[in-house]
Amino acid sequence: MSEDPDVVSRRIAHESIDRDDPTGWFEHLYAAAAEGSAVVPWDRGTAHQLLTDWVNESKPYGADKTALVVGAGTGWDAELIADRGYDTTAFDISPTAIATAHRNHPDSKAHYIVADLLAPPTDWHRAFDLVVEIYTVQALPINLQPDAIKQVTELVAPGGTLLVIAAARPDDQTDDDIQGPPWPLTRAAIRSFTAPDLHLIQLDRAPSPTDPTILRWRAEYLRD
């Protein structure tokens, strides 16, 4: 019987964290998956269902607009956004993930590049009409999440939209109770994506489409 993919990914993550390299585990996991010795638990082979739901409900029109997909992985979410007409950039810290995205989508309209959320290119500052963040912040240790959240918010252009999808932590669960990754986001963390000019306009907490025992946030923000 093969080992649980979540257990494998946590082991790889903690080995990386123990080496004081808290973001290096993404490359280790994607490289192991490319070799067939691991499975990326969140790589669904399709866009995230909550992103698909948002697109179907909001019907965003991306002509002459830019979009950025944070932690793009192997590209399925970025493809959905690019198909809505956005000039879409999708990045991941893992070179193997980006190489896999290029392989998965050889005729893609999206631009896949390697970049680090914690040190993004300076020309991305408030540059994107739509920013999509799914599961990246929650995959970082809790002490890194505030900086990651701030970096995400600074990618949204004036008049732009931010969409965040993440596992939701019960309000009474403490940091010490969590054996991540992931480290699900508290209600306070979701609200901390806001800024004086970046407003939370919709917040939903609902069962995961794939596992009703897990709650997911879907939050939408709008910059003045």
Side-chain angles (χ1 to χ4, degrees):
M1 183 176 177
S2 59
E3 196 170 2
D4 185 328
D6 290 325
V7 172
V8 174
S9 64
R10 285 194 182 110
R11 182 171 66 245
I12 291 172
H14 284 283
E15 288 170 353
S16 186
I17 291 167
D18 290 344
R19 293 192 298 270
D20 199 26
D21 184 15
T23 61
W25 72 276
F26 298 106
E27 171 60 16
H28 295 306
L29 179 59
Y30 279 107
E35 296 168 356
S37 59
V39 174
V40 178
W42 56 84
D43 191 4
R44 300 164 298 276
T46 184
H48 193 288
Q49 184 59 53
L50 293 180
L51 175 61
T52 301
D53 292 346
W54 179 80
V55 166
N56 290 339
E57 294 163 14
S58 301
K59 295 180 171 51
Y61 181 61
D64 301 320
K65 293 182 179 179
T66 57
L68 182 71
V69 177
V70 178
T74 57
W76 301 102
D77 297 326
E79 293 302 304
L80 176 60
I81 297 303
D83 285 346
R84 296 299 305 178
Y86 288 90
D87 181 4
T88 302
T89 300
F91 76 96
D92 203 284
I93 199 170
S94 164
T96 300
I98 294 302
T100 304
H102 282 297
R103 258 197 324 276
N104 283 348
H105 315 287
D107 301 317
S108 178
K109 298 185 288 288
H111 316 289
Y112 291 101
I113 64 171
V114 177
D116 182 356
L117 173 61
L118 299 177
T122 56
D123 60 350
W124 287 4
H125 183 257
R126 301 200 175 196
F128 296 94
D129 300 301
L130 172 65
V131 175
V132 176
E133 147 53 5
I134 301 177
Y135 292 0
T136 305
V137 171
Q138 72 176 42
L140 297 171
I142 292 169
N143 66 306
L144 294 180
Q145 289 183 0
D147 187 29
I149 288 170
K150 185 176 188 308
Q151 295 290 355
V152 169
T153 66
E154 287 302 309
L155 300 167
V156 185
T161 294
L162 167 63
L163 182 72
V164 176
I165 294 169
R169 192 200 303 189
D171 293 335
D172 59 353
Q173 188 175 34
T174 67
D175 291 356
D176 292 338
D177 290 336
I178 300 174
Q179 298 298 317
W183 290 272
L185 302 190
T186 62
R187 187 179 297 273
I190 279 290
R191 292 191 175 278
S192 73
F193 282 89
T194 60
D197 63 345
L198 185 64
H199 310 285
L200 178 62
I201 60 172
Q202 183 170 356
L203 178 62
D204 299 312
R205 186 172 70 170
S208 164
T210 56
D211 184 350
T213 66
I214 298 173
L215 294 177
R216 296 272 185 260
W217 296 116
R218 194 186 83 181
E220 184 177 350
Y221 311 78
L222 182 64
R223 172 151 272 139
D224 293 343

